[in-house]
Amino acid sequence: MFDQSKAHDVFDRIKKHSTADDVEVLIVGGRNALTRFANNTITQNVAEENYEISVRTVVDGRTARATTNKFDDESLRRVVQASERLAKVQDADPDLLPIVTVAEATGGNAPAAIPSRHFARTVAVGPQERASGVESMVAVAHKHGHTSAGVYAVSEHVEALLNSRGVSAWHTQSHAEVSVTMLARDSSGWQKSNSPDVDQIDPARLAEVAAEKASSSAGPKEIPPGKYTVIFEPSAVQDIVGFMFWDFSGLSLLDQRSFLTDRVGKKLFGDNISVYDDVYHPLQSGAPFDGEGVRRARVELIRNGVVRNLVYSRGSAARMCKTELAAQAGDVRATGHGFPLPNEMGEAPLNIVFAGDGAAKSVDQMVAETERGILVTRLWYIREVDPYEKIVTGMTRDGTFLVENGKVRNGLLNFRFNQSLPEMLSNVEAMGEPVRASGEESFDMVVPAMKVRDFNFTEVTKF
Amino acid sequence: MEHIAEWALNAARMRGASYAEARLVDDRNRALATKNGKIGSASDSESMGVGVRVIAAGGWGFAATEDLTQRGIELCASHAVEIAKASARVKEQELRLVAEPPALVTWSSRYEVDPFTTSVEENLDLLLRVDAELRSVSGITLAETNMNFRRYEQWFWNSEGSRIHQTRITSGAGYAAYSFAGSEIQKRSYPNSFGGQWQNKGYELVRELNLLENARRIAEECVALHSAPQCPQGRTAVILDSSQLGLQIHESVGHPIELDRVLGMEANFAGTSFLTLEKLNALRYGSELVNVVADATEAHGPGLGTFAYDDEGVQAQCVPIITRGLFTGYLSSRDTAEKIGRTRSGGHMRAENWNRVPIVRMTNVSILPGEKPLSLQQLISDTDDGILMQTNRSWSIDDKRYNFQFGCEIGWEIKAGKLGRMLKNPSYSGITTEFWNSMDAICGPEEWVLWGTPNCGKGQPQQVMGTGHGASPARFRNVRIGSAYSGS
């Protein structure tokens, strides 16, 4: 595994090769192992180790990046030269800021450290232990007469950023993830969990819940599409709402490609919706610095349905301050959310935490209080249909149930939805306790289960 | 490079592998982009490493490393065997591979101009001129352009004696114009969304695309969309341009024919397929006009799914998928082919890079053009009432690949054989087999384009792969349109 002293050694060698005004090095990589199973059999089992050195040089107000995974001196010399060559052929960019200083990187953005996200136990999990985890899930499948498929994955990740103005940022963390699908004759169920600490994940328990969903959704019935009260489990909430947070970016507003254009400071969602970006939250994940090494701030994005703030890289904040938009863009400052430069995306909040509304209800309670509605386990293939109304489409999957008179009645054929997200988050009738949720369509978040009225299902499929 | 193979294959054999293969990849990329008159990104990247896949004790194992020393390679191969033995602990099905004769081959995709020899100044100058032309149209609020090159060189060796050296040069270029006004964001892309057109070609592709010549039209269409009426809701005839039809093939033919999905191996993530085994040679997939092939051979064209051998050493082939509307073929690997009683894989195993295991992927899954010449203009003239839809904007399909919905950037009303009003936010939806059975016309070879889709995601850990899709514009009857905007 890469360590800090090796990172500094690489940086020192790169500096020697550079003739640029400034140089910044990003080192990203780690070890990943993943065991995949299907039909109650391990079908794919992989491991890799790889580290990339990404060099950004700045020459007279111009910048470019070159990347390699080769660490020998000749390769380092070539990657520096490639970066400088690409930078030098450009016109100078008057908006390009100098490489960040130590004071800029650490100033202003309060909390000093995140909770440890590196667990030796997780890193030590090998192929035999992963196989044992899979065996426990397959055993559950056998018990219920189902067929199982899923993954058991562990990884160790390192991220380092060093620059010629003295910034030296380092983050390492572990990650474990298990997901499982149980297949019955005409139904299925799914569960997924992840954590930096493998001991927080119980594969057999996940398999039991997935198996129960597959059993109880057997013989799915068809009901017509239309507007329904829908109870979304946290993974489904995360997968659908994730499509709007890319727009909580200063550059997205400057580009007029954000659905928040002309809407910051306005009430777009229900009173019960408050959202932060907070890398320091105990259930969150990731490095406490951004692609330039700037420390991340905790940013209030939505308070009681009103869009309060966006996140900014240094460059986006500086550009925003020069425009008339700044007056309506909340608190404009570099928040430590920038992507590595140069890039076209600017920045994004990737540590979303829903605040909850203080009256958390379990999914069971939401079901018990629902006269007629639909319980959704998982959503799939979500894509944006309209960028300003923020209409997204997608399908339900692996456990869709009819709720009647406070009880889960039976499984349903899967639906397609076309739904405006601001409208959805204006119609939230109840929420659960925010939990770390994991899906497949969006980045991990801390989100609650939600009960939403008038959710727009437009079609029903044939299974 | 031969010594690396020997280290890997010998170490795997010594640890107990009954089959082993090693893939060494040297990958080089360049990405250039502009945004509103400035350089959006300029980056070079290279990556080199080796992936070792083995069978031991009847289980699969794969390990990959960037450490190309003898010790690094041997550790990697040993790790792969250790993983394979752990895999063998959990199995209900035996692992067997269909035979493939060993190959000794060196192959390179065809190109006229190595894009890495062109000047970056020239590349950026073209992009900036396109960018300026887009923004010269009043109402354009954002212009983005991109140009991408890749040189992907791979050495494949396996314990059965194959020694395959392949090099692919890929180029891609395109742009998009955006307009924000009122409460709408509209977008037009050229020559396709997903960053434009991508093929296994050199810089000549960029020159063939006539990027600058089309920029003003695209920007004007983008702005005009704001004052266009909304695409209505209902049912009508739909003509899809060839790029949108290419994506329709990708989602509703290419993915469901993947045997790993059919056999349940993707059930947890990418999903399964409605194309269960009894449907082979029995299902009426489409009308008599629908002929689809999965063709990785060079004769099919410079698609992103063109190669000489796949990533488990199987020769490129043309596999009939739909023949006069009848479902006739799957995409396979050596182990999935064996599971359905085939004697040879169709050659569809591909890995994103050296550090990913090959999985079943599309090659060039293309609909063949109509046998007789038929231009798009003639097809429109033959249509009394309908909508022409161009350039994908959104795409979604369920996990069995049955219920789909697509949105396009622009639509045009067709009345009495003539193009009428522009329509904004056009969308259509349907059920896969019903849709393909409703196809009643397809344009001829003169309208056929082999599109590149560079961003197909599949697998865990996820792998991004380029696929090719040839298509001519085609007409579908009684299609449900406009439901994406209903109720919102």
Side-chain angles (χ1 to χ4, degrees):
Chain A
M1 187 70 179
F2 224 90
D3 59 24
Q4 290 194 59
S5 98
K6 191 168 177 185
H8 282 278
D9 170 61
V10 167
F11 184 56
D12 288 342
R13 286 193 283 153
I14 281 172
K15 275 194 299 187
K16 283 180 192 160
H17 294 305
S18 176
T19 61
D21 302 339
D22 271 308
V23 61
E24 171 194 282
V25 172
L26 186 59
I27 300 171
V28 176
R31 293 186 285 204
N32 300 285
L34 183 146
T35 301
R36 228 176 167 196
F37 61 105
N39 300 316
N40 300 336
T41 297
I42 291 178
T43 55
Q44 176 189 313
N45 208 344
V46 302
E48 60 134 340
E49 183 164 10
N50 187 36
Y51 302 90
E52 289 188 339
I53 309 158
S54 190
V55 178
R56 181 167 78 95
T57 51
V58 178
V59 183
D60 293 334
R62 299 165 291 185
T63 193
R65 180 173 293 279
T67 304
T68 184
N69 72 336
K70 303 172 191 169
F71 287 72
D72 61 277
D73 252 351
E74 172 58 20
S75 296
L76 295 182
R77 186 184 62 77
R78 278 195 294 109
V79 76
V80 171
Q81 287 179 343
S83 173
E84 292 182 0
R85 200 164 46 240
L86 279 175
K88 286 173 181 171
V89 298
Q90 304 173 32
D91 291 332
D93 177 0
D95 289 328
L96 180 67
L97 298 174
I99 271 181
V100 70
T101 64
V102 175
E104 284 178 291
T106 55
N109 297 336
I114 56 170
S116 172
R117 290 172 177 160
H118 189 275
F119 289 79
R121 252 288 293 142
T122 304
V123 176
V125 171
Q128 293 294 341
E129 187 171 352
R130 298 199 304 275
S132 294
V134 171
E135 276 175 330
S136 72
M137 290 186 272
V138 170
V140 172
H142 286 147
K143 186 174 81 177
H144 290 266
H146 297 333
T147 301
S148 63
V151 299
Y152 187 133
V154 291
S155 65
E156 183 181 27
H157 178 82
V158 64
E159 189 172 343
L161 190 141
L162 304 102
N163 75 23
S164 51
R165 301 198 176 199
V167 169
S168 172
W170 175 265
H171 175 73
T172 181
Q173 77 169 75
S174 53
H175 183 80
E177 181 170 297
V178 172
S179 65
V180 55
T181 300
M182 290 287 176
L183 300 166
R185 188 180 60 80
D186 58 5
S187 61
S188 56
W190 171 86
Q191 288 291 279
K192 181 176 181 181
S193 180
N194 72 42
S195 169
D197 179 3
V198 70
D199 290 331
Q200 298 301 311
I201 300 175
D202 182 346
R205 176 65 196 143
L206 293 171
E208 284 286 358
V209 175
E212 171 58 26
K213 281 179 175 289
S215 298
S216 56
S217 60
K221 296 186 169 50
E222 179 174 353
I223 63 171
K227 293 200 172 187
Y228 289 92
T229 291
V230 178
I231 299 163
F232 292 103
E233 296 199 356
S235 292
V237 172
Q238 175 230 323
D239 271 343
I240 189 168
V241 302
F243 275 75
M244 69 179 193
F245 288 109
W246 296 98
D247 287 24
F248 281 74
S249 140
L251 187 60
S252 176
L253 209 68
L254 287 165
D255 289 344
Q256 300 184 83
R257 60 178 159 86
S258 167
F259 82 107
L260 301 178
T261 306
D262 295 340
R263 287 170 169 170
V264 180
K266 294 182 179 172
K267 192 162 190 299
L268 278 189
F269 314 108
D271 287 336
N272 52 359
I273 302 298
S274 295
V275 180
Y276 297 82
D277 185 84
D278 186 4
V279 75
Y280 307 97
H281 190 282
L283 295 179
Q284 266 296 350
S285 184
F289 55 86
D290 74 0
E292 285 189 278
V294 177
R295 186 175 294 279
R296 292 192 193 281
R298 180 179 187 270
V299 179
E300 182 184 50
L301 302 173
I302 304 168
R303 186 199 307 161
N304 300 125
V306 178
V307 178
R308 309 294 298 194
N309 296 295
L310 308 174
V311 297
Y312 293 92
S313 64
R314 294 164 67 232
S316 297
R319 281 183 58 195
M320 183 67 83
C321 286
K322 295 177 191 167
T323 71
E324 293 175 356
L325 285 174
Q328 50 176 289
D331 182 10
V332 180
R333 63 191 171 102
T335 58
H337 290 81
F339 297 125
L341 293 174
N343 74 80
E344 304 101 276
M345 289 292 291
E347 57 281 316
L350 297 174
N351 295 101
I352 297 298
V353 178
F354 274 65
D357 65 353
K361 291 181 176 173
S362 68
V363 169
D364 287 345
Q365 283 176 302
M366 292 183 206
V367 167
E369 294 171 1
T370 300
E371 191 176 328
R372 190 163 195 267
I374 294 169
L375 172 62
V376 170
T377 301
R378 182 184 189 188
L379 299 176
W380 169 249
Y381 220 137
I382 304 170
R383 290 294 182 273
E384 185 178 271
V385 169
D386 184 299
Y388 199 70
E389 297 306 322
K390 222 61 189 172
I391 300 169
V392 293
T393 191
M395 299 292 299
T396 66
R397 176 179 176 182
D398 296 328
T400 305
F401 300 91
L402 178 66
V403 176
E404 278 184 334
N405 301 320
K407 290 194 163 45
V408 173
R409 289 295 175 196
N410 51 264
L412 293 174
L413 297 185
N414 287 300
F415 290 102
R416 170 169 299 286
F417 59 86
N418 279 276
Q419 176 64 49
S420 153
L421 294 178
E423 186 180 273
M424 172 185 167
L425 292 177
S426 296
N427 291 339
V428 177
E429 292 186 335
M431 282 193 282
E433 191 68 38
V435 297
R436 179 175 177 80
S438 183
E440 308 292 2
E441 301 287 305
S442 186
F443 50 91
D444 295 341
M445 291 180 199
V446 180
V447 290
M450 284 183 185
K451 179 178 169 182
V452 179
R453 70 175 174 277
D454 291 335
F455 191 83
N456 189 31
F457 287 125
T458 50
E459 292 184 37
V460 61
T461 197
K462 299 194 173 183
F463 62 91
Chain B
M1 299 299 177
E2 199 69 27
H3 58 287
I4 289 178
E6 286 172 17
W7 295 336
L9 300 181
N10 287 341
R13 272 193 221 103
M14 286 177 60
R15 298 295 192 285
S18 57
Y19 170 84
E21 64 190 27
R23 273 186 312 111
L24 173 72
V25 173
D26 188 359
D27 184 21
R28 181 180 176 194
N29 286 270
R30 173 165 294 164
L32 304 171
T34 72
K35 181 174 172 180
N36 276 357
K38 298 205 303 194
I39 308 300
S41 69
S43 63
D44 270 357
S45 64
E46 62 176 17
S47 180
M48 189 169 187
V50 67
V52 180
R53 190 175 73 142
V54 305
I55 297 174
W60 278 122
F62 175 85
T65 183
E66 61 189 9
D67 182 352
L68 301 183
T69 64
Q70 182 170 358
R71 176 177 160 72
I73 297 293
E74 288 174 351
L75 281 173
C76 178
S78 300
H79 194 192
V81 174
E82 179 195 8
I83 290 170
K85 288 176 178 172
S87 299
R89 276 179 52 181
V90 187
K91 65 174 177 182
E92 291 186 354
Q93 299 170 337
E94 288 304 314
L95 173 56
R96 285 185 288 265
L97 308 182
V98 290
E100 179 70 15
L104 300 173
V105 175
T106 294
W107 177 87
S108 174
S109 65
R110 294 182 188 177
Y111 59 91
E112 293 172 16
V113 182
D114 181 347
F116 290 97
T117 65
T118 62
S119 104
V120 176
E121 291 99 317
E122 179 193 341
N123 305 155
L124 289 171
D125 178 65
L126 173 58
L127 294 182
L128 287 167
R129 281 190 290 142
V130 169
D131 184 302
E133 182 76 358
L134 292 171
R135 286 181 298 113
S136 71
V137 173
S138 176
I140 293 299
T141 48
L142 176 63
E144 292 179 330
T145 76
N146 67 276
M147 197 179 290
N148 299 73
F149 309 127
R150 186 179 198 189
R151 182 182 189 280
Y152 189 85
E153 185 171 14
Q154 174 171 289
W155 292 262
F156 173 95
W157 309 276
N158 72 12
S159 54
E160 297 169 346
S162 280
R163 306 285 184 265
I164 301 165
H165 177 202
Q166 298 185 92
T167 305
R168 291 201 312 273
I169 297 282
T170 301
S171 299
Y175 51 83
Y178 297 77
S179 172
F180 171 75
S183 58
E184 271 181 17
I185 299 170
Q186 292 293 346
K187 177 189 181 189
R188 281 293 281 133
S189 308
Y190 180 84
N192 193 6
S193 32
F194 318 113
Q197 171 65 308
W198 303 69
Q199 290 185 326
N200 280 354
K201 277 191 173 181
Y203 195 73
E204 66 273 12
L205 174 72
V206 177
R207 293 174 178 150
E208 291 164 8
L209 293 176
N210 296 322
L211 296 172
L212 188 58
E213 293 83 344
N214 285 280
R216 174 161 291 273
R217 172 179 63 83
I218 288 296
E220 288 173 346
E221 286 179 356
C222 181
V223 174
L225 281 166
H226 287 282
S227 46
Q230 169 74 30
C231 172
Q233 197 176 343
R235 284 188 174 272
T236 190
V238 167
I239 296 177
L240 301 180
D241 78 343
S242 70
S243 69
Q244 174 58 34
L245 189 57
L247 188 63
Q248 177 78 46
I249 294 165
H250 179 99
E251 301 290 358
S252 68
V253 180
H255 279 304
I257 61 175
E258 295 161 347
L259 254 184
D260 54 345
R261 297 178 66 109
V262 173
L263 297 172
M265 294 159 72
E266 289 283 342
N268 184 59
F269 178 61
T272 56
S273 171
F274 74 94
L275 287 173
T276 43
L277 296 175
E278 78 284 358
K279 294 191 174 74
L280 188 66
N281 298 316
L283 175 73
R284 175 57 51 185
Y285 206 126
S287 70
E288 287 275 333
L289 296 173
V290 178
N291 290 285
V292 175
V293 295
D295 195 340
T297 67
E298 203 157 1
H300 191 67
L304 296 186
T306 299
F307 47 78
Y309 283 78
D310 78 356
D311 291 344
E312 62 174 357
V314 178
Q315 190 173 20
Q317 298 161 51
C318 176
V319 176
I321 301 299
I322 302 174
T323 307
R324 294 196 176 278
L326 185 70
F327 170 49
T328 50
Y330 288 111
L331 306 180
S332 60
S333 57
R334 291 181 67 182
D335 60 341
T336 56
E338 193 278 338
K339 286 183 197 304
I340 66 164
R342 294 294 173 93
T343 55
R344 193 186 188 198
S345 165
H348 302 105
M349 285 289 267
R350 304 169 71 197
E352 178 183 290
N353 213 314
W354 58 267
N355 57 346
R356 291 288 178 269
V357 69
I359 56 178
V360 175
R361 302 303 296 243
M362 286 174 240
T363 53
N364 302 307
V365 181
S366 305
I367 188 165
L368 300 180
E371 291 172 2
K372 296 177 183 172
L374 177 68
S375 69
L376 175 58
Q377 188 51 56
Q378 288 170 320
L379 181 57
I380 291 167
S381 300
D382 182 56
T383 305
D384 285 337
D385 188 59
I387 297 179
L388 167 66
M389 297 192 190
Q390 296 175 311
T391 319
N392 183 262
R393 186 161 94 173
S394 67
W395 66 106
S396 174
I397 190 165
D398 68 41
D399 59 298
K400 288 193 194 299
R401 302 281 154 173
Y402 218 38
N403 178 298
F404 62 80
Q405 177 181 297
F406 292 94
C408 289
E409 290 182 353
I410 194 167
W412 304 86
E413 203 171 54
I414 302 172
K415 294 285 185 194
K418 290 191 165 44
L419 278 189
R421 300 180 300 169
M422 178 186 288
L423 298 172
K424 69 181 168 194
N425 307 324
S427 70
Y428 67 99
S429 58
I431 296 293
T432 293
T433 46
E434 292 173 5
F435 180 78
W436 286 107
N437 274 287
S438 78
M439 193 182 99
D440 76 339
I442 182 164
C443 291
E446 71 279 15
E447 300 273 1
W448 195 85
V449 178
L450 182 50
W451 295 98
T453 300
N455 58 345
C456 177
K458 186 183 171 185
Q460 291 176 294
Q462 185 153 52
Q463 302 189 45
V464 176
M465 181 57 66
T467 63
H469 304 289
S472 299
R475 184 176 60 201
F476 300 83
R477 295 288 188 184
N478 195 32
V479 177
R480 187 175 183 201
I481 60 166
S483 57
Y485 275 73
S486 67
S488 298

